[in-house]
Amino acid sequence: MLKMFKKKGEQIFAPAAGTVIALADVPDPVFASGAVGEGFAVDPSEGNFVSPVDGELILLAKTLHAFAVRTDAGAEILVHVGMDTVKLKGEGFTAHRAKGDRVKQGDVVISCDLAQMAPLVPSMVTPVLVTNGKDFAIAETEIGASAGTPVITVRKK
């Protein structure tokens, strides 16, 4: 099984409908620099944020602005909804899952009303990051991918 994983890798999907952009284009220097992890971002067109992979929900921020999923192979994928959304202290976000839940790619984890949220923060651009990059490498990237198609593939180092 491990050999098969090394060949194929794991596909990471966009967590929301919208435009997939390069991480370097995120309007926040910390995310754009890759300091939090490598990955991509989505400029969302709707307010449902879904799990980008199958796995266990290992983080659901108290302020509901971010969540992370660990795949069965161990890749940890962080979805950070918008820029400076932590300052909203959960206002406007709804959680649909709890930490420890098993999720499938496409399951709604967090939702919000984008029209209501957008004026309150600098941007709703949502980074999707591999936070344990010391163990996993991005093998392929498809910037410009549409919702429902894989954006990056990660492989165990």
Side-chain angles (χ1 to χ4, degrees):
M1 176 101 182
L2 190 58
K3 281 186 180 181
M4 181 169 53
F5 173 74
K6 281 191 174 196
K7 272 188 199 171
K8 290 180 118 184
E10 289 194 274
Q11 296 179 321
I12 314 301
F13 290 76
T19 305
V20 174
I21 63 173
L23 196 59
D25 296 330
V26 171
D28 179 286
V30 175
F31 288 114
S33 71
V36 182
E38 291 187 62
F40 63 96
V42 177
D43 190 356
S45 59
E46 63 178 49
N48 286 328
F49 295 89
V50 304
S51 178
V53 293
D54 293 350
E56 179 187 352
L57 192 60
I58 59 169
L59 168 76
L60 182 61
K62 288 180 185 178
T63 54
L64 305 180
H65 74 288
F67 64 91
V69 179
R70 181 184 304 121
T71 68
D72 291 338
E76 295 177 358
I77 312 301
L78 174 70
V79 177
H80 190 283
V81 181
M83 300 293 111
D84 294 343
T85 47
V86 68
K87 294 178 183 175
L88 300 175
K89 299 179 182 170
E91 193 71 31
F93 288 108
T94 302
H96 299 274
R97 297 300 196 138
K99 181 180 174 185
D101 283 0
R102 180 98 187 137
V103 292
K104 292 269 190 207
Q105 185 273 318
D107 288 350
V108 177
V109 178
I110 295 172
S111 63
C112 68
D113 181 339
L114 281 185
Q116 175 190 354
M117 303 289 274
L120 304 176
V121 295
S123 173
M124 286 303 293
V125 166
T126 299
V128 181
L129 309 165
V130 179
T131 58
N132 59 342
K134 67 183 184 330
D135 299 324
F136 288 85
I138 294 176
E140 299 171 35
T141 305
E142 289 294 328
I143 298 303
S146 57
T149 59
V151 180
I152 61 174
T153 300
V154 297
R155 290 196 178 107
K156 198 164 187 133
K157 289 183 178 176

